[in-house]
Amino acid sequence: MRKQLFFPFLFLILFFLCTKIFAQIAPAPPLRPDNITSILEKGGQFTSFIRLLKATQVADQLNNQLSTPNPNDGLTIFAPSDNAFSALKPGTLNSLSDQEKLQLVQFHILPTLMSTSQFQTASNPLRTQAGDIKSGKFQLNVTTASGNQVNITTGVVNATVANTVFSDRRIAVYQVDQVLLPLQIFGPTPAPAPAPAKPEKDVPVSTPKASNGDADTDSSGAMILKFHPMAMVAFGFALFGAIFWSL
């Protein structure tokens, strides 16, 4: 009787233990190639970049593009590792406006699918989602591409493609060892234009004061004679005497 009770009880214990063990070693959920967050989370070292993708809503835009059955040109994404973000100066991201954060994320995305071998024949500059060729802004340049080694420059930093995180016919995700800082945001600030020279003030020409003598000059330049009253009386007597003696 005891043996009949012991074996069913032992079987239940073994079943419970096996269920718990298999639950712990259950495989991770399958990678979703139509979800950029899923791809980066699988990489395991892109927490900061994922946070930026979500904050700027670029993640949703990329997922919509990836959900298209037959994308036109595909996408290439340069994903900086968490170590790359840690190497930035403190406060770098916090100093950016929302528009600049969006441009920073889009600067890491090429609107075309590129394999590592295609970088060897790529024509500079590379257009990013942050700009276009006509404006000449937010562009990347490939500086070295030999074998699997690809180096790119932004005009501010030089980065190396460390490895391929994911690649299929729609998207290629490459790990880069530097955050790609665009020249239009992180480049040197142009020196301010010099202030225009102030015009020299006209110095007024002082008019000499008229002397207190007997002759003054009016505004037309004519001479004005001034006679003293006593002199006029003396002149009158002299004139009268001359007339009188001449008679």
Side-chain angles (χ1 to χ4, degrees):
M1 183 67 180
R2 291 181 178 178
K3 290 183 178 180
Q4 292 177 351
L5 293 176
F6 176 75
F7 285 109
F9 180 72
L10 181 61
F11 176 77
L12 288 175
I13 293 176
L14 292 174
F15 177 78
F16 175 77
L17 292 175
C18 290
T19 304
K20 190 173 183 181
I21 292 173
F22 283 123
Q24 291 177 349
I25 63 174
L31 175 66
R32 294 180 55 191
D34 60 343
N35 187 292
I36 184 60
T37 303
S38 175
I39 293 173
L40 292 173
E41 286 175 347
K42 185 70 173 179
Q45 51 182 335
F46 304 102
T47 304
S48 298
F49 191 51
I50 292 173
R51 189 182 302 117
L52 266 179
L53 286 169
K54 291 181 176 180
T56 56
Q57 299 182 348
V58 174
D60 294 335
Q61 299 173 9
L62 294 176
N63 292 338
N64 289 335
Q65 290 180 258
L66 293 175
S67 63
T68 305
N70 296 307
N72 294 329
D73 298 321
L75 295 168
T76 300
I77 298 177
F78 298 108
S81 63
D82 291 333
N83 289 336
F85 279 97
S86 298
L88 293 175
K89 293 182 180 179
T92 298
L93 296 181
N94 292 334
S95 66
L96 302 180
S97 65
D98 291 342
Q99 178 64 23
E100 289 173 333
K101 289 179 181 178
L102 174 62
Q103 292 172 328
L104 175 63
V105 174
Q106 291 177 330
F107 191 59
H108 289 73
I109 304 171
L110 306 182
T112 55
L113 177 64
M114 294 189 67
S115 64
T116 53
S117 60
Q118 287 177 312
F119 284 110
Q120 300 180 23
T121 57
S123 298
N124 288 323
L126 301 180
R127 181 168 66 94
T128 68
Q129 282 195 345
D132 54 62
I133 298 297
K134 292 182 179 179
S135 65
K137 297 180 179 179
F138 295 99
Q139 298 175 352
L140 294 171
N141 287 281
V142 178
T143 56
T144 306
S146 57
N148 293 329
Q149 181 72 36
V150 178
N151 296 327
I152 53 180
T153 182
T154 70
V156 178
V157 297
N158 299 318
T160 299
V161 175
N163 58 67
T164 302
V165 179
F166 180 83
S167 179
D168 68 3
R169 63 182 181 84
R170 293 173 298 178
I171 184 173
V173 181
Y174 301 106
Q175 178 185 339
V176 288
D177 63 349
Q178 299 282 342
V179 179
L180 305 181
L181 304 179
L183 183 65
Q184 284 69 30
I185 298 177
F186 296 94
T189 304
K198 295 182 179 180
E200 296 182 0
K201 294 182 179 180
D202 295 334
V203 180
V205 180
S206 58
T207 304
K209 295 182 179 180
S211 61
N212 293 329
D214 292 339
D216 283 348
T217 305
D218 64 3
S219 59
S220 61
M223 297 295 294
I224 301 175
L225 297 177
K226 290 183 179 180
F227 297 95
H228 197 276
M230 293 301 297
M232 294 179 65
V233 172
F235 178 75
F237 276 109
L239 180 62
F240 177 77
I243 295 174
F244 178 78
W245 289 108
S246 63
L247 293 178

